[in-house]
Amino acid sequence: MIRIIAVIGCSCLYLYSFGQVKQRDTAGRFQRWGNNNIFQFFRNAVVKGRPDSTAIATALNTKSETPFKPFEGKIIRHIYIRGYGFEQTFTDTSKRLEYKGTQILNHLHRKTRDWVIRNNLFIKENMPVNAYKLADNERLIRSLNFIQDARILVTVVPDNEDSVDLVLVVKDLFSINGGIGELAATPFGARSNVSEANFLGMGQRIQGGVNLEQNRSPNFGGALLYSKTNIGGSFINGTASYSQINQDLYPGQPDEKTWFVRLDRPLYSPYAHLAGGFMIGSFEDFHVYKSVVDSLFYKYRHHTHDGWVGWNLGSDRFLSNTSVRDRKFMAVRYFRDDFDSVPYQVGNTFNFRFNSREAALASFTFFRQDFYKTNYIYGFGTTEDLPVGYNIALTSGWYRQLYLNRLYTGIDANGYTTTNRGAFFQFFLRSGVFMYRGQAQDASVLAGTSYYSPLFLFPRLKIRQYINFSFTRQFNRIGIDPLTIDNVFGLRYFTGDSTYGDQRVTLHSETTFFINYKLLGFKFAPFVFGDLSFLTPQNEGITKSALYDGIGTGIRARNENLVFNTIELRLAYFPHKTEQNNSFKILFTTGLQFRFNNTYVRQPDVVFLNTDGLNSIY
């Protein structure tokens, strides 16, 4: 798996002669701001005249609202937007990288247009400064998938101390991206894709994919996707897609033909009133691989209608009393997923993956989430936002699976905290139960904690320790999937969906070393890890539990100026060998996240025990 299409040539030019740095003089008021170290300005806004330190530029750990507190209540006079190019470093904008590829990159990439950024502003001119709202808006801009980093800088107007000007500094990611998913000589096969994540600088994504394989009939399959962020300043995102090479439900081959249209409006701020979403789609699997025998092909066809809407209760009251940070959010959801054709291997039996489902659910969420700006969690130095506070969602409603109609009740609770030294903790609990004729069915509980240590700083090295512990238990399983260990709550990268049980205890540990070295603009982070998972077979005692473990090492690489995710090379050893899992594995992955998903609320849903698809666990 190598991310090279449309990027490698540009990135090599961008990264060549990285050390040639030249100081340039500029004139004018806003140019003088640009020549200052952003973090120095950011720090001096809190403690005037106090010099910046190297640690501030390399290891952030501060409350998001802190730099705006001294300006609370002052009137916002003007909001200026300033975009930086690839030749400028975000922590020291006086430095420019001089090389021949600069002009090529700037011709290939269209900077995000100012109106796109302004559409994502819910702070306005002539409004009083609200430190929390400024921090929330800064974080929203930074979370856009075509923005590398963003800062809001505040300065007092010299002739009017009751007013301030804001300068929003943004730096784009290089948004042209591509990849080769698979390349084989015999039989010939190639899978690749190319995308533009910020087409014309208008916050829109266009992506195309192809699959050309000799043992496929027809040999060629294609895919096309279009999405637009924040349509017309409504904070509604839209996506439309058609694909002949989507990954099927089982065993995960690219032979599913699908189309879908999706609209969603997240709760982009704790002060926003409304959130929701809607999706319709059709999905059908075709037998296109000649090498797959009929008994191993799972033929299906299903279509989906899914919609939800939620209200932020009392959000107007919070605007006038910013000391109240606790929120309450109510949401309702209806979805229907009908299978017109079911694999004959499944038939009329319970299988959560292939059963028709329909539900009407309601949820009530209590949350209070402030944020810390930090770095070196998922990324390699760019600003990352981690929540501090709590999020508790209570969900209940009617749920139909196949022919079984049941009442569902569940809870998804998360607590986040930090220490003075810069460590981060998350405590999580997921639990749910279905009631049928007074009997509890498919009851479950998943509880655990995650820990990121403080960032240990050395002259040429930074180290971060990660530990995750989880306990999972099922009771009276009827229709949901059994517990497996081939997932984030078991052994990562373990293969074996026939290994299952009803109780699981897992411990993850990983140490990451961020080294001060670049190659072609890519930063590197070697790591070592160890995983332990106890899995108890269904209806057996704990003495029958089997121990599964894995150890290994690897290295991650990322160019923070490019839009695609972190690249990882992982070498793993699993002493417990199964028919589906080899003891030694070498894995190359390009789809790793580089930002924590800091969504405030989500659509009502049942709890899941074998996946963290919403990325809500550190």
Side-chain angles (χ1 to χ4, degrees):
M1 304 268 288
I2 306 173
R3 294 277 180 171
I4 58 173
I5 299 294
V7 173
I8 191 66
C10 302
S11 60
C12 286
L13 288 170
Y14 167 70
L15 309 159
Y16 178 68
S17 303
F18 187 79
Q20 296 181 352
V21 180
K22 180 181 178 182
Q23 189 86 15
R24 288 190 173 183
D25 293 326
T26 55
R29 179 178 177 187
F30 298 111
Q31 281 78 2
R32 287 196 299 273
W33 281 343
N35 285 338
N36 288 330
N37 185 312
I38 288 179
F39 292 102
Q40 181 177 348
F41 188 96
F42 167 82
R43 186 174 177 83
N44 288 343
V46 182
V47 183
K48 188 174 182 180
R50 189 171 179 179
D52 188 37
S53 66
T54 305
I56 295 296
T58 59
L60 281 173
N61 193 32
T62 182
K63 290 183 177 180
S64 297
E65 69 276 7
T66 297
F68 309 118
K69 282 288 188 180
F71 309 100
E72 188 81 32
K74 295 181 183 296
I75 302 301
I76 300 172
R77 191 182 66 165
H78 298 298
I79 301 176
Y80 300 95
I81 296 174
R82 180 172 182 133
Y84 286 169
F86 301 107
E87 70 277 10
Q88 292 174 285
T89 61
F90 199 73
T91 55
D92 190 351
T93 57
S94 65
K95 294 183 178 180
R96 288 177 176 266
L97 311 178
E98 298 294 338
Y99 54 93
K100 296 181 180 179
T102 303
Q103 292 182 349
I104 297 177
L105 276 176
N106 287 329
H107 277 92
L108 288 174
H109 175 80
R110 178 65 166 86
K111 282 186 180 181
T112 303
R113 300 173 188 262
D114 285 357
W115 62 263
V116 174
I117 300 298
R118 288 191 182 276
N119 278 349
N120 284 280
L121 291 176
F122 50 83
I123 54 172
K124 305 295 182 182
E125 294 174 347
N126 299 318
M127 289 176 54
V129 169
N130 180 321
Y132 291 102
K133 289 191 71 172
L134 261 65
D136 291 336
N137 212 154
E138 182 186 78
R139 183 174 60 259
L140 176 66
I141 301 295
R142 193 160 44 239
S143 69
L144 298 175
N145 60 11
F146 45 86
I147 297 296
Q148 184 196 60
D149 213 334
R151 287 289 191 280
I152 295 178
L153 309 179
V154 186
T155 183
V156 176
V157 179
D159 56 350
N160 188 350
E161 294 185 357
D162 293 329
S163 298
V164 295
D165 286 338
L166 304 183
V167 180
L168 174 56
V169 184
V170 295
K171 183 177 179 183
D172 286 2
L173 290 164
F174 183 69
S175 54
I176 300 176
N177 178 27
I180 295 178
E182 184 175 298
L183 190 63
T186 307
F188 174 78
R191 302 174 189 172
S192 63
N193 65 78
V194 63
S195 67
E196 164 59 90
N198 193 12
F199 183 60
L200 299 178
M202 297 169 60
Q204 52 189 351
R205 181 184 188 91
I206 298 177
Q207 178 174 312
V210 297
N211 191 345
L212 182 62
E213 296 185 67
Q214 188 176 342
N215 66 345
R216 175 188 170 103
S217 179
N219 301 120
F220 175 84
L224 184 64
L225 179 144
Y226 172 83
S227 66
K228 177 70 174 72
T229 300
N230 196 356
I231 301 171
S234 63
F235 293 96
I236 296 175
N237 307 315
T239 304
S241 175
Y242 173 78
S243 175
Q244 299 171 328
I245 55 174
N246 201 46
Q247 191 175 73
D248 62 31
L249 294 176
Y250 184 83
Q253 291 182 312
D255 56 7
E256 183 184 79
K257 182 182 291 186
T258 177
W259 66 265
F260 70 85
V261 176
R262 181 174 63 236
L263 297 173
D264 69 275
R265 189 180 197 263
L267 192 69
Y268 57 87
S269 161
Y271 302 97
H273 294 79
L274 183 68
F278 177 74
M279 188 193 79
I280 57 173
S282 177
F283 311 83
E284 185 173 3
D285 200 11
F286 288 88
H287 196 178
V288 300
Y289 285 99
K290 305 172 185 177
S291 59
V292 178
V293 298
D294 291 342
S295 61
L296 297 179
F297 172 67
Y298 280 57
K299 171 66 177 177
Y300 64 84
R301 182 175 69 250
H302 71 106
H303 58 275
T304 298
H305 301 81
D306 191 347
W308 75 282
V309 63
W311 299 267
N312 194 2
L313 303 177
S315 56
D316 290 332
R317 177 167 55 89
F318 300 134
L319 289 173
S320 59
N321 186 2
T322 58
S323 62
V324 179
R325 301 291 294 160
D326 301 278
R327 302 289 192 268
K328 301 177 182 66
F329 184 85
M330 184 177 68
V332 293
R333 177 191 181 195
Y334 172 80
F335 75 85
R336 182 167 181 167
D337 191 6
D338 286 320
F339 275 80
D340 305 310
S341 175
V342 178
Y344 75 86
Q345 298 93 329
V346 175
N348 201 36
T349 61
F350 287 115
N351 185 302
F352 208 73
R353 194 176 302 177
F354 293 105
N355 289 159
S356 293
R357 291 178 293 155
E358 184 179 10
L361 301 172
S363 67
F364 200 88
T365 303
F366 306 86
F367 70 96
R368 173 176 179 165
Q369 285 182 224
D370 298 320
F371 287 85
Y372 264 78
K373 280 190 286 203
T374 187
N375 48 16
Y376 295 102
I377 298 290
Y378 295 118
F380 287 70
T382 55
T383 308
E384 301 176 66
D385 301 285
L386 289 186
V388 176
Y390 65 89
N391 187 299
I392 303 172
L394 305 174
T395 303
S396 186
W398 168 77
Y399 203 100
R400 176 184 64 84
Q401 179 184 351
L402 200 55
Y403 53 81
L404 192 61
N405 292 275
R406 299 182 289 181
L407 173 69
Y408 172 79
T409 302
I411 182 173
D412 187 350
N414 297 272
Y416 312 91
T417 187
T418 185
T419 67
N420 292 333
R421 295 186 58 199
F424 291 91
F425 288 89
Q426 178 183 8
F427 304 94
F428 53 89
L429 169 67
R430 296 178 181 176
S431 183
V433 61
F434 294 86
M435 298 299 298
Y436 182 71
R437 295 180 179 177
Q439 181 187 27
Q441 298 179 344
D442 288 324
S444 62
V445 60
L446 166 63
T449 184
S450 296
Y451 167 76
Y452 275 101
S453 74
L455 186 65
F456 301 106
L457 299 173
F458 299 92
R460 298 184 179 276
L461 186 70
K462 303 175 187 69
I463 300 176
R464 181 89 74 173
Q465 176 66 40
Y466 168 71
I467 298 173
N468 175 278
F469 171 81
S470 66
F471 169 81
T472 316
R473 184 76 167 92
Q474 286 181 325
F475 305 90
N476 193 22
R477 188 182 71 85
I478 302 295
I480 65 175
D481 293 334
L483 301 181
T484 62
I485 60 170
D486 56 344
N487 54 72
V488 295
F489 297 114
L491 295 188
R492 293 164 293 179
Y493 303 102
F494 184 89
T495 305
D497 58 6
S498 63
T499 305
Y500 52 84
D502 60 14
Q503 180 171 290
R504 180 180 61 209
V505 181
T506 301
L507 178 67
H508 297 306
S509 179
E510 185 167 296
T511 307
T512 305
F513 307 88
F514 298 93
I515 57 178
N516 295 346
Y517 176 75
K518 282 187 178 182
L519 178 63
L520 296 178
F522 284 82
K523 297 179 181 179
F524 298 91
F527 61 91
V528 293
F529 70 92
D531 297 341
L532 290 173
S533 189
F534 286 92
L535 188 66
T536 304
Q538 296 183 88
N539 304 317
E540 298 284 354
I542 193 171
T543 57
K544 301 293 185 179
S545 300
L547 172 64
Y548 297 86
D549 53 346
I551 57 174
T553 186
I555 189 169
R556 299 187 184 100
R558 177 169 174 77
N559 186 327
E560 297 281 15
N561 287 303
L562 305 181
V563 73
F564 60 74
N565 292 349
T566 301
I567 301 169
E568 178 185 274
L569 175 65
R570 180 182 292 255
L571 287 76
Y573 171 65
F574 302 100
H576 194 130
K577 185 178 180 180
T578 68
E579 293 183 1
Q580 296 174 303
N581 189 74
N582 296 323
S583 293
F584 290 94
K585 283 190 176 182
I586 300 177
L587 305 120
F588 195 81
T589 310
T590 60
L592 297 183
Q593 67 191 73
F594 65 97
R595 281 173 179 161
F596 180 74
N597 185 352
N598 50 38
T599 304
Y600 296 105
V601 296
R602 300 178 179 87
Q603 64 184 15
D605 207 345
V606 301
V607 299
F608 292 97
L609 308 175
N610 291 320
T611 181
D612 186 35
L614 293 175
N615 180 27
S616 60
I617 306 296
Y618 278 168

